[in-house]
Amino acid sequence: RAAGYSLEQNRDDAGALAEMLRRVAECPKPVIARVQGSAYGGGVGLVAACDMAVATFEARFSLTEVKLGLIPAVISPHVIAAIGERHARRYMLTAEAFSAAEAYRIGLLHEMVADEDSLDEAVGEWVEALLKNGPRALAECKALIRSVANRPLDPQVVDYTVERIASLRVSPEGQEGLAAFLQKRKPNWVL
């Protein structure tokens, strides 16, 4: 469709994709990418925007935009954050397809599994682990990572981290978690 769009329509379309990826990346809940088959172009961006990613061994990936005379502009912040600038240079410039093993090696994937049943098991294990954690703590942890990633350890970062932990320690969820730990019981958010 975009091939027939005007410049303004293309801006709107790219803006919608950028906003969707931003919402995935900044979602207060953990987001898991479950990949089977191929993830090309924007699909790689979507995987990169997620907090965790698992794929079958047969999954394939490619940043294909330059083959079309385009660039992976909107997905680039997410892809570069996931795989680093050096790997991004290679795969964005060559548009070559790469395997799940390579995606794992460069940091796009956290885990590879044999088949779709194993995908469900891996996702289930992550979900089970996530459900043991404080809901507010998960959201705050995601915000913390976004706030301190790639920043120098300066007084502002130290002050920010001190303030975050102090405020969470006195929050109802923090108090419940600490009490549960000290009393050797499960916190009230764990079923």
Side-chain angles (χ1 to χ4, degrees):
R1 288 187 325 240
Y5 283 178
S6 68
L7 178 60
E8 190 60 37
Q9 289 171 314
N10 268 288
R11 278 191 190 113
D12 291 344
D13 185 63
L17 174 61
E19 178 62 12
M20 187 266 302
L21 292 172
R22 184 194 67 75
R23 287 181 183 209
V24 168
E26 294 183 2
C27 179
K29 305 290 186 203
V31 181
I32 299 171
R34 180 190 181 279
V35 184
Q36 79 266 4
S38 298
Y40 282 25
V44 175
L46 182 56
V47 172
C50 292
D51 300 304
M52 292 164 266
V54 59
T56 61
F57 294 134
E58 289 78 30
R60 303 284 294 166
F61 302 85
S62 184
L63 294 153
T64 56
E65 288 82 355
V66 294
K67 283 186 177 182
L68 305 173
L70 305 173
I71 58 174
V74 172
I75 65 172
S76 65
H78 306 283
V79 172
I80 293 168
I83 69 174
E85 181 181 350
R86 185 79 170 149
H87 294 301
R89 286 175 188 262
R90 174 183 175 177
Y91 291 112
M92 287 181 176
L93 293 171
T94 65
E96 65 188 290
F98 53 98
S99 67
E102 178 66 357
Y104 175 80
R105 187 187 75 77
I106 65 176
L108 184 62
L109 297 175
H110 295 95
E111 196 170 322
M112 296 179 300
V113 296
D115 53 33
E116 287 191 47
D117 289 338
S118 300
L119 275 175
D120 291 338
E121 288 175 28
V123 170
E125 288 173 9
W126 286 345
V127 169
E128 190 176 307
L130 290 166
L131 289 173
K132 292 177 183 173
N133 303 326
R136 179 174 176 203
L138 289 170
E140 292 286 345
C141 191
K142 286 185 67 168
L144 172 74
I145 293 165
R146 282 193 308 277
S147 295
V148 302
N150 302 310
R151 288 182 58 190
L153 185 56
D154 59 23
Q156 291 82 15
V157 168
V158 171
D159 289 346
Y160 173 79
T161 61
V162 166
E163 180 59 33
R164 297 310 315 131
I165 189 63
S167 67
L168 288 170
R169 282 180 183 162
V170 298
S171 73
E173 186 174 287
Q175 288 291 296
E176 169 60 16
L178 290 169
F181 174 76
L182 293 172
Q183 296 166 10
K184 298 181 183 351
R185 62 173 174 81
K186 292 179 181 178
N188 62 13
W189 58 79
V190 176
L191 303 175

